[in-house]
Amino acid sequence: MKWERAAMACFLVLAALAFSGCVSGAGGKLAPVQVCASDPAAQLAAEGHYLATGNGSFLAIWGAWQNVIVTAVLIILLVCGLVYAISNAIAYRNLTVWAQSQMYEAFATLVFAFLIVGIVSWMCGVDARIVGATCDPACGPNGCGCSVFKVADDYLSQFNGEISKAWWAVAMANMAIAALSTTVFSVGASGLGTTIGLGPGLSQVSASMSSALIMIGIAQLLTIAQLELLRLSAVLFVYLLPAGIVLRAFGITRGFGGGLIAIAIGFYLIYPLSIVFMYGLVDSQIHNQVGGAPGGSDESTWQQQASGPIVGWMCGLVGTILVGAAVVPFITFIIVVSFVRGLSQAIGEEVDVSNLTRLI
Amino acid sequence: MMNKMALLALVALLAVLPPVSHALGTAGCNGGYPDGNCEIGESCDCSDCWGLNPPESGGATFCDASKFQVCLPEDGKPPGDTSAAHKCRAPPAWYQPEVERVAGNWQVWGPISALAVLIAMLVVALAYMLGIGFDLPELRMWAKSELYQALASAVLVAGLVMLVAVMTDEGIAKILGQAINPFSMAYGYLLPLAEQLKSLYAWNYGINFPVEAFSSLDLYSNATLTDIYFLFFLKPTIVEPLHLANHYVIQVLLTIYFQVAILNFFQQAALGTLLPLGVFLRIFPFTRGTGGLLIAMAIGFFLVYPTIFGFITLMTEDENALRASMAGDTSSTLGVDVATYNACDHNLEAAAGEAEKQTDPAILSKINERYSFLPPLILKILFYPIVVFAVTFTFIKVASPLLGADISEVGQGLVKLL
């Protein structure tokens, strides 16, 4: 029975290693897992991208961390094995059970680590177009192919670009209206005369558009913050996941390590996934609305526009932008938090979500 | 034994009755009658020959008069195509494009979800084997419970795919009636208000434009270094109140369009994106909570959220009366008639005097009346939608635990945000 268990354990380790894409390198060292850059040409094109190679990338750091994780697990197995042997020798039943459970947990941690890396590698290879995402697989600033990470980055960048277009459309309209509002008619001679403003009534429209510009600016800030969070979560993943796995290997820090793993996975995998599903719709909606920007070549046209159509267009545009910049991130936040909570409950200590929601 | 046979016979009879009655009814439905051939412009007296109701007019068929049909060309032909054969049939339902879009998404998500269920079962089987191999009773128990969850997920996937199929087959129309469109009710609550506000804005703008122009009229003298705005009193009395009114109008309009955008987003995202994604995520144990939450959100925002708007519409005052009162007042131009200023005659003293008369307290009170409707409007735009949100979130909070999610703390965060 013991031999069967040992064989099964070996099989599991080998399966996990194979699933994670790790190969044996020179000198018995495990070669680093390539994340989102399996194709050499794509890797070359994505050089410097946050998901590919370069200093601080997952590719560079994971190789070193793998050794740390394996060493930590081996130490635990060694210590627990020793404890197990001693407890058997002195017939101390409680200690035997403790050592046994610690060995199982350490082993589970090892398997878990490679499974996570396997899932990440798998997600990098999955073409997001199969779930309806629109993507150009050609190499660009965000990398090559149509992985979930690239599509998420593309979608947010596209949304950010649409907000910029919207800002310029409103700003140009505001500029024209503000300029017309200063038109003055003057009659006089020898330093004596009278003037009358022909378009000061447009100033109220201009003021409203200035407020709209502020809101669009805030929306852009929120969107850029999301883009940064998306990129930051990749960087965080590089550090949080290995640290979480190492901490989870030890009994005292198991809960904390599980929480770190959950946060790393939640922000690195679930966050871009939710962006892919949500922002495809928002991008098309806002694109259509920006295209309907008002315009005119004479004052009368602008006056007609200012009396109603421009207000409706502006409010509709700002409303859609706010949905994309505030409501959709809120939904993605709920999805991520819900996932982190569930996973942290399962593999470690539950992340205190109520503290996160207090931030709101 | 006899009871069981009787029960079976009853079930069989109930199952067979509709198609048989339909076939019998259809046989008699010809020429301008439901499901029969018709000519362009010909009416279809009643819609469906289920054999349940007596004929509406003249025919020898038994038709359900409550189901409306119109004379339409055969499939794929545009309306009014004289060359195409026409037939009495139900008009395209309001939900048809939505259902087609959702069905298209499910063509992708259906197989993915089915595959995910199989993978989940595979993992469960593996865990069960490990549980036996390592003699871990807890793992075995977990595997068993997960197997039930995987089966529940399979049932859920199948049920939702069938639901979409039923909706495509006009099942919802048969249940609810075609006139009921929750999103129409919600848009019907918000968009007329937006139109009223836009017309009010245009009206204020139209009044304000010439008055503000006159308020900028000045007389300057370089010799005495003076520049007198002798109609400046128009600014605080007329121009600024109208500016303030339009400022509020813009704020309320923005809120309305924000809500319209939210509705539009969920109309497109709820069944087409959130639901399939939720079903997929619900299959796996670590993402079960997230999946359940997404399913609850999809149902909540597609059905509950717009429907409550319909109830709110019934609760609030008559929209038409408000619109009529505003429309009826626009011709009065507040009593401020810029033509009487005679400013173009260069009789500045007379113009100033006229303007003073025009800004008497009665006129100012009229201006106040113009935007005194804003408080109830803000109630309609801010308070009632918050109630709608609260009901929707309550539904999500109640429904999500049933689907495997616990959002009590996240829900608290939402409430704090509101």
Side-chain angles (χ1 to χ4, degrees):
Chain A
M1 186 65 185
K2 280 184 180 175
W3 279 107
E4 281 173 12
R5 285 189 191 185
M8 194 167 283
C10 289
F11 166 75
L12 269 178
V13 172
L14 286 173
L17 285 172
F19 187 51
S20 69
C22 292
V23 289
S24 237
K29 280 181 74 175
L30 292 169
V33 177
Q34 294 191 353
V35 178
C36 290
S38 54
D39 178 19
Q43 185 175 333
L44 193 66
E47 195 75 44
H49 183 247
Y50 65 98
L51 286 171
T53 57
N55 290 333
S57 70
F58 187 85
L59 192 64
I61 292 175
W62 176 242
W65 273 105
Q66 279 182 108
N67 297 336
V68 175
I69 291 166
V70 171
T71 309
V73 170
L74 285 177
I75 289 170
I76 291 165
L77 288 176
L78 193 69
V79 171
C80 290
L82 198 63
V83 170
Y84 187 79
I86 293 169
S87 62
N88 261 345
I90 60 175
Y92 189 14
R93 174 76 186 153
N94 289 347
L95 199 60
T96 310
V97 172
W98 177 85
Q100 223 172 357
S101 72
Q102 291 302 311
M103 279 193 281
Y104 283 138
E105 286 287 353
F107 180 69
T109 301
L110 191 65
V111 172
F112 201 72
F114 289 111
L115 283 179
I116 290 168
V117 177
I119 290 169
V120 172
S121 303
W122 175 73
M123 271 191 73
C124 291
V126 169
D127 193 327
R129 285 177 294 181
I130 63 166
V131 289
T134 51
C135 164
D136 180 9
C139 292
N142 293 332
C144 306
C146 286
S147 71
V148 170
F149 310 102
K150 180 177 177 286
V151 174
D153 206 309
D154 283 350
Y155 273 8
L156 273 183
S157 302
Q158 196 182 334
F159 183 62
N160 191 35
E162 293 295 343
I163 292 178
S164 294
K165 282 185 202 166
W167 193 92
W168 276 110
V170 175
M172 296 307 282
N174 189 24
M175 201 185 294
I177 288 172
L180 288 171
S181 72
T182 60
T183 312
V184 173
F185 178 74
S186 180
V187 177
S190 308
L192 183 68
T194 182
T195 60
I196 184 169
L198 294 179
L202 289 167
S203 62
Q204 58 179 320
V205 185
S206 178
S208 302
M209 296 188 99
S210 299
S211 304
L213 283 176
I214 293 171
M215 298 183 91
I216 293 172
I218 292 170
Q220 187 150 36
L221 274 177
L222 291 171
T223 308
I224 292 171
Q226 279 193 87
L227 260 171
E228 289 305 317
L229 179 63
L230 185 68
R231 290 165 186 180
L232 185 68
S233 50
V235 179
L236 280 177
F237 181 76
V238 170
Y239 294 98
L240 288 186
L241 179 71
I245 290 169
V246 170
L247 290 173
R248 201 193 173 279
F250 299 98
I252 301 170
T253 53
R254 184 155 298 138
F256 180 58
L260 285 186
I261 293 171
I263 290 172
I265 296 174
F267 279 96
Y268 187 62
L269 296 185
I270 302 299
Y271 185 55
L273 199 65
S274 53
I275 285 173
V276 167
F277 285 110
M278 298 294 163
Y279 272 96
L281 295 169
V282 180
D283 280 350
S284 61
Q285 283 177 1
I286 190 175
H287 181 74
N288 294 336
Q289 284 191 319
V290 174
S297 56
D298 53 42
E299 186 175 351
S300 63
T301 310
W302 278 107
Q303 281 185 13
Q304 283 172 359
Q305 297 270 10
S307 67
I310 203 168
V311 172
W313 168 76
M314 183 183 72
C315 292
L317 182 64
V318 173
T320 308
I321 287 174
L322 287 181
V323 166
V327 175
V328 174
F330 195 69
I331 296 170
T332 55
F333 175 77
I334 289 176
I335 292 171
V336 172
V337 167
S338 172
F339 172 82
V340 168
R341 192 160 176 249
L343 186 60
S344 61
Q345 267 177 342
I347 62 171
E349 195 167 316
E350 183 186 330
V351 175
D352 194 355
V353 183
S354 59
N355 275 336
L356 283 176
T357 51
R358 269 185 209 127
L359 293 172
I360 298 168
Chain B
M1 189 63 185
M2 288 300 288
N3 286 345
K4 281 185 183 174
M5 285 182 71
L7 194 63
L8 278 172
L10 183 64
V11 169
L13 187 65
L14 286 173
V16 170
L17 188 59
V20 169
S21 61
H22 184 258
L24 287 173
T26 311
C29 287
N30 293 316
Y33 281 96
D35 298 332
N37 295 328
C38 60
E39 299 296 328
I40 296 174
E42 195 173 9
S43 64
C44 301
D45 289 337
C46 53
S47 72
D48 202 4
C49 306
W50 288 92
L52 300 174
N53 295 311
E56 175 85 336
S57 62
T61 57
F62 292 94
C63 301
D64 184 355
S66 67
K67 291 187 171 58
F68 176 70
Q69 283 198 355
V70 290
C71 193
L72 291 170
E74 57 188 332
D75 290 336
K77 301 284 183 184
D81 186 351
T82 51
S83 63
H86 279 61
K87 198 169 181 179
C88 284
R89 60 178 72 187
W94 58 268
Y95 53 81
Q96 200 63 37
E98 182 64 26
V99 165
E100 283 168 7
R101 197 175 60 77
V102 171
N105 278 7
W106 272 100
Q107 280 180 353
V108 176
W109 279 102
I112 290 177
S113 301
L115 195 64
V117 168
L118 289 176
I119 290 172
M121 286 183 171
L122 197 68
V123 170
V124 166
L126 194 66
Y128 192 76
M129 285 161 60
L130 289 175
I132 292 174
F134 285 98
D135 193 22
L136 297 170
E138 289 171 1
L139 190 61
R140 283 206 302 273
M141 281 172 63
W142 177 84
K144 273 184 187 173
S145 71
E146 281 304 315
L147 183 67
Y148 292 134
Q149 288 285 0
L151 288 173
S153 296
V155 171
L156 207 61
V157 171
L160 287 168
V161 170
M162 278 175 66
L163 183 70
V164 171
V166 167
M167 286 175 79
T168 315
D169 199 27
E170 300 177 13
I172 289 292
K174 287 186 171 71
I175 296 165
L176 294 179
Q178 290 188 15
I180 298 174
N181 179 353
F183 280 93
S184 279
M185 286 193 281
Y187 289 130
Y189 177 80
L190 293 169
L191 291 179
L193 283 172
E195 287 307 314
Q196 286 170 37
L197 286 168
K198 279 198 278 186
S199 65
L200 179 67
Y201 183 93
W203 187 88
N204 284 347
Y205 171 84
I207 292 298
N208 175 67
F209 194 87
V211 174
E212 193 166 359
F214 277 109
S215 73
S216 70
L217 187 67
D218 73 332
L219 184 68
Y220 66 88
S221 166
N222 291 347
T224 56
L225 297 175
T226 51
D227 190 354
I228 304 165
Y229 289 84
F230 46 87
L231 291 176
F232 194 77
F233 63 88
L234 288 172
K235 280 234 172 196
T237 51
I238 295 176
V239 173
E240 291 305 331
L242 289 173
H243 274 204
L244 190 64
N246 271 359
H247 173 70
Y248 287 135
V249 167
I250 289 283
Q251 284 186 345
V252 178
L253 260 179
L254 200 59
T255 315
I256 291 174
Y257 277 109
F258 180 56
Q259 290 175 58
V260 169
I262 290 176
L263 271 170
N264 198 1
F265 174 76
F266 281 111
Q267 187 178 7
Q268 293 193 46
L271 289 189
T273 303
L274 294 181
L275 188 62
L277 184 63
V279 169
F280 177 74
L281 291 176
R282 203 201 164 279
I283 293 167
F284 304 105
F286 297 143
T287 55
R288 183 156 300 137
T290 315
L293 177 62
L294 287 182
I295 294 171
M297 281 174 74
I299 296 169
F301 279 107
F302 193 82
L303 290 177
V304 179
Y305 183 60
T307 307
I308 299 298
F309 266 112
F311 287 112
I312 292 291
T313 310
L314 298 174
M315 285 163 56
T316 54
E317 69 268 25
D318 184 13
E319 285 295 318
N320 294 329
L322 183 64
R323 199 180 309 154
S325 69
M326 286 171 59
D329 202 21
T330 49
S331 58
S332 70
T333 63
L334 287 182
V336 181
D337 187 358
V338 289
T340 61
Y341 282 78
N342 293 324
C344 295
D345 293 341
H346 297 285
N347 185 352
L348 300 176
E349 194 180 346
E354 190 63 38
E356 275 181 16
K357 273 193 279 179
Q358 293 285 5
T359 53
D360 65 14
I363 292 173
L364 293 181
S365 72
K366 270 193 171 182
I367 291 174
N368 287 332
E369 274 177 27
R370 290 302 302 173
Y371 58 97
S372 64
F373 76 95
L374 277 168
L377 201 62
I378 287 171
L379 190 75
K380 291 183 78 169
I381 294 304
L382 292 179
F383 178 70
Y384 291 145
I386 286 176
V387 173
V388 175
F389 264 114
V391 172
T392 309
F393 286 134
T394 307
F395 171 83
I396 292 170
K397 199 176 171 185
V398 171
S400 51
L402 298 175
L403 294 159
D406 179 15
I407 58 155
S408 54
E409 287 179 345
V410 182
Q412 282 172 12
L414 282 172
V415 172
K416 279 175 197 162
L417 183 77
L418 290 173

